Amino acid sequence: MLYLGITSLRQLPQNNQLKDILYFESLDKYVTVYTEGRKQLCEQSLGQLEAKLPKEFIRIKRSLIVNKKQVKEVFKYFNSRYGFIMQDKNATQLISGRSFKGELDKW
């Protein structure tokens, strides 16, 4: 099993299995790892993570990397962007950036 070392918030486990990760979101200098019902800070930048993650993860926006296996639905959004509905209880919706359209079209 692959594990990703992360810094915990609120006494959460120190490691996450990659298959359980929904997405990574970057805000300012911090990257947050989202799993079902949990979020944790990561010690690495989004660029560093992107280089290390397997091909099941795809960058959809400058601030977002999603786990393809955790995407429930993809739909066309306006202005050359895509919407993603994740497989969590809240059916989280994420919107891609226009500059990532070419890579997302290949997927």
Side-chain angles (χ1 to χ4, degrees):
M1 290 278 159
L2 290 172
Y3 287 88
L4 181 70
I6 54 180
T7 304
S8 79
L9 292 176
R10 291 187 261 134
Q11 304 291 326
L12 296 174
Q14 296 253 325
N15 292 311
N16 267 340
Q17 291 187 12
L18 288 177
K19 67 178 183 69
D20 296 333
I21 294 173
L22 295 166
Y23 62 97
F24 296 89
E25 181 177 33
S26 174
L27 295 170
D28 294 325
K29 295 179 182 180
Y30 302 99
V31 173
T32 306
V33 181
Y34 289 86
T35 59
E36 182 68 50
R38 296 181 177 172
K39 62 181 182 177
Q40 298 174 282
L41 288 180
C42 180
E43 296 175 343
Q44 300 174 1
S45 72
L46 214 53
Q48 291 171 326
L49 287 170
E50 185 177 23
K52 293 179 181 180
L53 290 168
K55 62 184 178 182
E56 292 93 42
F57 289 84
I58 187 168
R59 195 158 192 169
I60 65 166
K61 194 177 193 175
R62 282 183 65 193
S63 61
L64 289 170
I65 296 176
V66 300
N67 183 347
K68 293 179 186 179
K69 293 183 178 182
Q70 293 288 351
V71 174
K72 181 177 182 180
E73 181 181 339
V74 179
F75 58 92
K76 286 193 175 193
Y77 199 67
F78 73 95
N79 214 6
S80 299
R81 296 185 290 174
Y82 290 97
F84 295 80
I85 298 175
M86 305 307 289
Q87 292 185 9
D88 58 341
K89 291 179 195 172
N90 300 326
T92 303
Q93 290 190 22
L94 306 171
I95 305 299
S96 70
R98 286 183 289 176
S99 61
F100 293 87
K101 182 185 184 313
E103 188 173 334
L104 294 174
D105 284 342
K106 294 176 191 174
W107 177 42

